[in-house]
Amino acid sequence: MKLKKRIFILPGLMILIALIVFLSFIKKIENFADQDIKLNQEVIFTVPAGSGRAGLEALLIQHKLIEDNQLLPWLFRWKPELAKFKAGTYRLQKGMSLKSVLQLFASGKETQFSIRFVEGSRLSDWSKIVQNAPHLKHDMESKTPQELRQALGMNEGEPLEGWFYPDTYLYTAGTSDVELLKRAYNKMKTVVDQEWENREKDLPYKNAYEMLIMASIIEKETAIESERTKVASVFVNRLRLKMRLQTDPTVIYGLGDKYTGTIFRSNLHTLTPYNTYMIDGLPPTPIAMPGLASIKAAAHPAVTKYLYFVANGDGGHTFTTNLVEHNKAVSLYRQRLKQSK
């Protein structure tokens, strides 16, 4: 009888030992999953398309996020849901556990980058910003203006300047810069169409495009919210009276690279399509990308008799209805400039 007891006890003991070893190994795997990845600061990590389990493990080891201890394949077997990772670019932060990293990869929630285009900037400014944007696919510089128009869905020969809505845009790694421009173009088109539909009656614009041109001039003339509709009223009043707009920002735009920071008297007498001291009406295209406030001001100018305005030395402008008062305001501004030197 004693012999039989020993025979039955031995298999039970072996099962118990095997269970302890198994649970101990599982605990080791879970501790491995719960440990923090080796990061001192935030990093951007890309899981390439077609990466298998071995490929991901190699990348994690290569970037020294984990050690080569051969536990990752066992973790994938124990937690198969962690092995369903998706290709993409992810933001990894200090303090993340390996498990949370793998869950992030499995979620497919790629990190988003942001790019900011400010009001009053030009297409040339946008091109520089796009070129320096991280993780963006650069297709724009290889396209001719016509090819870019086609990619954006614009009409043949339609000027690009002014047609992109200034805003902050989010994108994931590998997004094309042309796709960003298309989003900005569609947004501007929607805003302009809406404001044109709801504009004040009897404005001296032939179409929505002329309203956009006006908005770009307003954008470059003032950054003060409360002044935009007044600036708009000056230009609208001038258009109605067949007066030239005589606005410096259009002259500067027409000078292009020749502008060095100062407008000389000779510049005002040099004919370009944008010299509103010499041409009648609006310039042929916008001179910048206007923001919503300037577009609204162009569509809803204040009702005034103002025909002139000049800087007042305090960051704003003095608005006047006649040339005599305007000249006084100019003289006062010049006096303030001398006193401030």
Side-chain angles (χ1 to χ4, degrees):
M1 293 294 293
K2 290 182 180 180
L3 183 59
K4 290 182 178 180
K5 286 183 179 180
R6 289 178 183 172
I7 293 173
F8 285 113
I9 290 173
L10 187 58
L13 182 60
M14 291 177 65
I15 292 172
L16 179 60
I17 292 172
L19 181 60
I20 292 173
V21 172
F22 174 75
L23 292 176
S24 179
F25 185 64
I26 294 302
K27 183 64 175 176
K28 187 176 181 179
I29 292 174
E30 290 182 343
N31 288 340
F32 171 66
D34 291 335
Q35 72 179 8
D36 290 352
I37 55 174
K38 300 180 182 301
L39 273 185
N40 294 321
Q41 60 185 4
E42 179 182 278
V43 299
I44 302 300
F45 187 89
T46 298
V47 180
S51 298
R53 297 182 182 186
L56 178 60
E57 181 179 15
L59 280 173
L60 293 172
I61 294 172
Q62 178 186 336
H63 288 82
K64 299 181 179 179
L65 300 180
I66 65 171
E67 295 178 355
D68 186 5
N69 54 17
Q70 299 182 342
L71 285 176
L72 189 59
W74 290 102
L75 175 59
F76 286 149
R77 292 178 186 178
W78 179 243
K79 299 285 186 181
E81 67 274 11
L82 298 179
K84 298 177 180 179
F85 47 86
K86 299 176 178 66
T89 299
Y90 302 90
R91 193 183 303 273
L92 306 186
Q93 298 176 333
K94 181 181 178 182
M96 291 181 73
S97 68
L98 175 60
K99 182 180 179 180
S100 61
V101 168
L102 294 175
Q103 287 173 333
L104 177 62
F105 293 166
S107 72
K109 295 179 180 177
E110 294 187 69
T111 188
Q112 290 193 318
F113 303 91
S114 65
I115 189 168
R116 171 68 178 163
F117 302 113
V118 299
E119 294 85 348
S121 54
R122 300 177 182 178
L123 184 60
S124 57
D125 301 319
W126 285 44
S127 297
K128 294 174 184 176
I129 294 171
V130 162
Q131 287 173 4
N132 295 322
H135 304 282
L136 197 62
K137 184 180 178 184
H138 299 292
D139 295 326
M140 179 180 168
E141 58 188 23
S142 65
K143 294 184 180 297
T144 65
Q146 184 54 32
E147 288 173 339
L148 184 56
R149 290 187 193 97
Q150 290 176 351
L152 298 174
M154 299 178 69
N155 296 324
E156 184 176 352
E158 188 174 6
L160 293 166
E161 191 74 88
W163 267 122
F164 304 103
Y165 191 82
D167 203 350
T168 297
Y169 294 88
L170 300 177
Y171 65 92
T172 55
T175 298
S176 167
D177 50 12
V178 175
E179 176 58 32
L180 277 182
L181 288 182
K182 189 171 184 178
R183 286 163 55 188
Y185 169 69
N186 288 336
K187 189 168 184 179
M188 181 64 89
K189 194 80 166 59
T190 298
V191 169
V192 170
D193 287 346
Q194 288 176 346
E195 293 304 321
W196 177 251
E197 185 68 25
N198 298 319
R199 72 190 184 281
E200 298 296 326
K201 295 180 179 179
D202 302 322
L203 292 176
Y205 312 135
K206 297 176 183 177
N207 48 47
Y209 187 61
E210 287 197 349
M211 185 184 75
L212 180 64
I213 294 172
M214 176 64 79
S216 74
I217 298 173
I218 297 167
E219 188 67 61
K220 298 301 289 186
E221 282 286 8
T222 183
I224 299 176
E225 189 78 21
S226 61
E227 284 192 351
R228 286 192 173 98
T229 56
K230 291 180 183 178
V231 170
S233 74
V234 170
F235 293 133
V236 165
N237 289 341
R238 280 177 163 261
L239 287 175
R240 285 171 173 159
L241 293 172
K242 307 298 182 184
M243 294 176 67
R244 288 176 176 170
L245 297 185
Q246 297 183 320
T247 168
D248 291 352
T250 62
V251 176
I252 292 171
Y253 187 85
L255 289 173
D257 294 336
K258 295 179 181 178
Y259 177 68
T260 58
T262 303
I263 297 180
F264 298 99
R265 186 175 297 276
S266 60
N267 297 143
L268 302 181
H269 297 286
T270 301
L271 181 62
T272 74
Y274 294 88
N275 187 346
T276 50
Y277 286 84
M278 298 189 71
I279 66 167
D280 297 327
L282 292 162
T285 74
I287 59 172
M289 313 295 180
L292 180 60
S294 293
I295 297 172
K296 284 184 173 293
H300 305 277
V303 179
T304 75
K305 294 183 179 180
Y306 295 138
L307 293 174
Y308 305 89
F309 64 90
V310 66
N312 59 17
D314 296 324
H317 294 84
T318 299
F319 294 84
T320 51
T321 59
N322 59 75
L323 188 56
V324 173
E325 293 301 317
H326 174 64
N327 288 336
K328 288 181 182 178
V330 171
S331 178
L332 182 60
Y333 172 62
R334 288 173 176 169
Q335 289 177 17
R336 289 183 176 180
L337 280 182
K338 290 180 180 179
Q339 292 173 358
S340 65
K341 291 182 179 179

